[in-house]
Structures are given as C-alpha cells and as structure tokens.
Amino acid sequence: MIIALAQLMVVLDATIVNIALPSAQRDLGISDGNRQWVITAYTLAFGGLLLLGGRIADLVGRKRTFVIGLVGFAAASALGGAATTPAMLFGARALQGAFAALLAPSALSLLTTTFTDPKERGKAFGIYGALAGSGAAIGFIVGGLLTEYLDWRWCLYVNVPIAVAAVFGALALLHDRPGRTGARLDVPGVLLGCGGLVSIVYGFSEAEPRGWTDPLVLTLLAAGVVLLAAFVWWQSRAPMPLLPLHVIKDRNRAGCFLTMGLAVIGMFGLFLFMTYYLQVVLEYSPVKTGLAFLPLTASIITGSTQISARLINRVPPRMLMVPGMLLAASGMVILTQLTVDSGYATDILPALILMGLGMGLTFMPVFSTATAGVAPQDSGVTSATLNTSQQVGGSIGTALLNTIATTSTTAYVTAHLGDGGPQALIAKEAVVHGYTVAIWWAAGIMLLAGLVAGLMVTTKPPKRGVPAQDAVPESVA
C-alpha cells in the first residue's frame, strides 16, 4: 500500500495541474508561449532522469532512494505551491520531476523484490497497474475539485501530506537489502542516455508551437537520436553500464517496453483532447470535467484487478495485452465520431469504458512481465526503463497528436471560410475536426501496440509456485 500510494502521487502529478493551469497562468502572469513549461518541465526531468534514478536505486539501496525521493518530492511540491513568479513554478516542477525519477523506479523495484510468489505478485501488480493506468485520470478529478473549491496551489500542496504518510510507512514497513558497495555510476552513460532522452522529449514538446520543420525541432530530434545511438554503443563497452543491454535484449521485455510506450501515446492523447472537448466545446466546469473521467478510472481498475490479475497466471500475457489494445482502439474509433453537440452518455461514455478496460487489461501484464526474471541488481534500472517508456510515450503523444489536431483544425477553417455559416460555429467544428483526426491516429498507434505485443511477447504464464525471478529467463547477451 505504501508503494502504491507513492506511485499514485507520481502519476497523478503528471496531470493534476492541467485543469489548474489557466488559473495559475492568470495568477502568475505566465505568457501563452511559456505556459507549456508547467507541464513540460515535469515530464522532461522525469523522463530524462529515470534511468539515472533506477541505477541510483540499485547502487545505494531501494528503500533509501525511495525515502529520499518522497522527501524531495514533497519539498518541491511545497515550493511550487508557494511560487510567486513563473520561473519559480517552472523550477519547482522540474525538481518534482527529478525526485519522481528517483521515486518511481525504486517503488517498482521494491514491489518486484518484495512479491515473488505468483499469486501474491498477481495481486500486487494488479493494484500497481490500476494506479499506473488510472492515476492520470484521477489527477484530472482531483485537479478540478481543488481548483474550483480551493485554489490552484493546492494541486501542488496536496502532495505534502501524502508524501509524509508514505515516508513514515516506508520507514516502518519496508525492508530492503543494502545497495552495492564499491560500485560507481556510469557517468558517460548518464550524460549520453539522459541527454538523448531530454533532447527528444524537448524536441517533441517544441514541435507544437514551432512546427515539425523548425530548425530547432529538427536539430533537437537529430541530436537525441545521435546521443541515444552513442549511448547504446557505450553501454556495450562500459565496465559498469547504466543500462545493461541484456535487460532490453530479452524479447519479451523489449516487447513490453514498446507496448507501454505506444499505448501511453494514445492514452495521453485521449486525456488532452477530452479535457479540451469537455471544457471548451461542451462548456463543462473543471469539476464536471474531472468527474466525467470517473468511468474511465473505474474501468481501468476493473480491467487490471478483476480481469488481468485473475488471469495472469493462467494465460500468456499477450492474450491479455492484445485484446486490451483492441478494446482501447475500438473506444478511440467511437470518439472519432464526435461532433459539436455529442451527448456524454451516448457518444463519450461507451468509449471511455472500452478504453479503460483495454488499458487495464494491458498495463498489469506489461508491468509484471517486464520485471519478471530480472537479476536483483538490475531490478531498479529495469523498472526505470519501463517508467521511461511510459513518460516518453506520454510526452511524444501530447506533442505529436496535438500538432496533428492543430494542423487539421487550421486546414478545416481555411476550407470553410467561404461557407457563410456563423464564425463561432465553424471555429468549434474546426476544433472538433482536429480532435477526431488526431484520435484516428491514436487508434492506429494503439493497434500497432497490440501488434507489437502479439509478435514480441511470447512468454508463457508463470508456473504455480515458481518465484517471479525465475519465471522469465534472461537472454544471454
């Protein structure tokens, strides 16, 4: 429960400030061009530093890293809540992301090494998968309530009591073997790997305001690819690599990393477009918008804890992941039929339920399979790689799909300027058209995730009574 609470805080914080962003922008005088940094500063630091955080967890001890991450996250949240300038808020969000990069991999590796019995492991990862999948949606609900009834600053302050409770729980209840004495960090690997990830995530985030052909965007993306290629080359030669290549050379594990990244691209696209559709097009309040995501959250929890967790030891993981992605994609296809006056109960609710069930079916076996069979000294970095695929996928999804939506909206307005209809109605129709075009892309990406899972994740269900560390053998590098 302590680990799940920390994971919920980290995932929730990626989205909780979305609904609060307009209020924070007005309060601090943030320009339209700079407001994206409230979100991007967090995801950049989080995604870019996760591999480092995972290796630190392996070297100095998971419990110690977990507690440091909680304390730092709480302090950064308090700093952000007290922000008096835009720069202070951006810096606090970056600090939150950096401490989240310590917290997330140590939490998952503690879960991996604590629960090795297949039955208990299934329950634990069912809860963890439900929180990982639904935490972002819960963030919208909590963000709406706090913004409307208290103040946007409470979207950050709320982390402090959660983190304090988790720290006391961790000190009292969690146990962990000590870190590896005498080991040193792979500094070139840190610079190449983290630099490459930050460059790519930053490039995708800048593609929205600048366009895909902007020289800065192209330079950042190219630099990111070069740095990551150099990172892979160095990892094959480093005496103490940041990411041992045998971790990602395992076919099943690589398939889980890819499936997670692709699935989250579509999911973050859904959060982005549905939030704006409900608030801008249907004119929902922040609280009503947050509550509209409740069926999605309930469906994710149901799919993860009541379906996947019950079947994970009986069927191969891909028999859950592939149907999950098909369900999620079908929910997306329903949303491509949205209009300016679609009804929630008839047009949106069925799609959210299908999407939630599909993500719940997928997340739980992805987490369980990706971390099974990992040597204890590599559990932190494996967990970090899985979290990195989730964060980078979310960042790419937000930038890629938003750019597609914006371009399609502009093209629609240009094509219908001479129609003679009310300008306000044409503007709304253009916005919805842009959303539906982007959602078609998201549906296609989720189908690709299902294909990857079906072709790459070939492991069988774990045998009863076999510890999780032995369930999936490591590939020989």
Side-chain angles (χ1 to χ4, degrees), residues 56-315:
I56 289 174
D58 286 334
L59 295 180
V60 305
R62 300 172 190 89
K63 179 179 177 179
R64 183 182 301 173
T65 306
F66 184 74
V67 171
I68 292 172
L70 283 170
V71 172
F73 197 90
S77 298
L79 179 66
T84 55
T85 64
M88 187 175 173
L89 180 59
F90 300 157
R93 291 288 286 167
L95 280 174
Q96 277 187 305
F99 283 108
L102 284 178
L103 187 57
S106 58
L108 186 52
S109 57
L110 278 170
L111 194 69
T112 301
T113 55
T114 301
F115 297 95
T116 57
D117 177 75
K119 186 177 181 180
E120 293 299 320
R121 183 180 175 85
K123 292 180 182 178
F125 275 92
I127 296 171
Y128 187 89
L131 290 175
S134 63
I138 294 172
F140 286 116
I141 298 169
V142 176
L145 290 169
L146 293 175
T147 301
E148 190 155 326
Y149 294 112
L150 290 174
D151 184 76
W152 68 266
R153 297 178 185 275
W154 280 96
C155 291
L156 295 165
Y157 285 145
V158 71
N159 292 318
V160 177
I162 297 175
V164 169
V167 166
F168 282 114
L171 293 174
L173 300 174
L174 293 182
H175 303 283
D176 182 36
R177 66 194 68 180
R180 294 162 59 189
T181 58
R184 289 183 296 178
L185 286 175
D186 172 21
V187 177
V190 170
L191 296 176
L192 292 171
C194 295
L197 286 173
V198 168
S199 183
I200 287 179
V201 173
Y202 184 31
F204 277 114
S205 71
E206 286 296 299
E208 177 188 343
R210 295 175 178 270
W212 290 104
T213 58
D214 182 83
L216 176 62
V217 172
L218 295 176
T219 300
L220 286 168
L221 294 177
V225 171
V226 171
L227 286 170
L228 288 180
F231 171 76
V232 173
W233 171 83
W234 171 251
Q235 294 308 285
S236 65
R237 291 159 175 79
M240 304 182 83
L242 181 67
L243 174 60
L245 293 184
H246 62 262
V247 170
I248 56 174
K249 281 184 178 179
D250 180 89
R251 174 176 179 163
N252 294 290
R253 195 166 295 118
C256 287
F257 293 154
L258 283 174
T259 300
M260 172 61 79
L262 292 169
V264 172
I265 287 177
M267 188 176 76
F268 268 63
L270 173 77
F271 292 152
L272 176 70
F273 298 129
M274 288 312 301
T275 299
Y276 276 94
Y277 178 79
L278 293 171
Q279 289 199 63
V280 176
V281 179
L282 299 187
E283 299 180 355
Y284 281 20
S285 68
V287 169
K288 191 175 181 181
T289 299
L291 293 175
F293 282 100
L294 269 177
L296 174 69
T297 304
S299 298
I300 291 175
I301 293 172
T302 300
S304 183
T305 62
Q306 301 304 312
I307 302 176
S308 280
R310 294 174 184 269
L311 296 177
I312 189 65
N313 294 321
R314 300 181 182 181
V315 301

Side-chain angles (χ1 to χ4, degrees), residues 16 91 203 239 253 274 286 295-296 325 348 356-357 398 412 429 437 476:
I16 193 172
R253 195 166 295 118
M274 288 312 301
L296 174 69
M325 284 294 91
I348 299 172
L357 287 173
T398 301
Y412 186 94
E429 290 175 342
V437 170
V476 178

Side-chain angles (χ1 to χ4, degrees), residues 222-450:
V225 171
V226 171
L227 286 170
L228 288 180
F231 171 76
V232 173
W233 171 83
W234 171 251
Q235 294 308 285
S236 65
R237 291 159 175 79
M240 304 182 83
L242 181 67
L243 174 60
L245 293 184
H246 62 262
V247 170
I248 56 174
K249 281 184 178 179
D250 180 89
R251 174 176 179 163
N252 294 290
R253 195 166 295 118
C256 287
F257 293 154
L258 283 174
T259 300
M260 172 61 79
L262 292 169
V264 172
I265 287 177
M267 188 176 76
F268 268 63
L270 173 77
F271 292 152
L272 176 70
F273 298 129
M274 288 312 301
T275 299
Y276 276 94
Y277 178 79
L278 293 171
Q279 289 199 63
V280 176
V281 179
L282 299 187
E283 299 180 355
Y284 281 20
S285 68
V287 169
K288 191 175 181 181
T289 299
L291 293 175
F293 282 100
L294 269 177
L296 174 69
T297 304
S299 298
I300 291 175
I301 293 172
T302 300
S304 183
T305 62
Q306 301 304 312
I307 302 176
S308 280
R310 294 174 184 269
L311 296 177
I312 189 65
N313 294 321
R314 300 181 182 181
V315 301
R318 64 177 172 181
M319 296 302 293
L320 296 170
M321 295 158 67
V322 174
M325 284 294 91
L326 290 176
L327 278 176
S330 65
M332 284 292 200
V333 171
I334 292 174
L335 291 177
T336 62
Q337 308 306 308
L338 289 176
T339 64
V340 293
D341 54 2
S342 292
Y344 178 81
T346 56
D347 301 310
I348 299 172
L349 181 60
L352 294 181
I353 292 174
L354 287 173
M355 179 81 175
L357 287 173
M359 298 307 288
L361 278 172
T362 303
F363 276 138
M364 189 268 168
V366 163
F367 281 119
S368 183
T369 305
T371 56
V374 180
Q377 67 269 22
D378 290 330
S379 62
V381 74
T382 301
S383 304
T385 306
L386 185 58
N387 276 284
T388 296
S389 67
Q390 190 175 359
Q391 291 300 316
V392 173
S395 299
I396 291 173
T398 301
L400 172 64
L401 296 177
N402 193 60
T403 299
I404 292 172
T406 304
T407 304
S408 300
T409 297
T410 303
Y412 186 94
V413 170
T414 303
H416 292 79
L417 277 177
D419 290 355
Q423 294 298 309
L425 179 60
I426 291 176
K428 269 194 175 183
E429 290 175 342
V431 168
V432 175
H433 172 74
Y435 294 165
T436 56
V437 170
I439 290 171
W440 272 116
W441 278 84
I445 292 170
M446 286 190 161
L447 288 176
L448 178 60

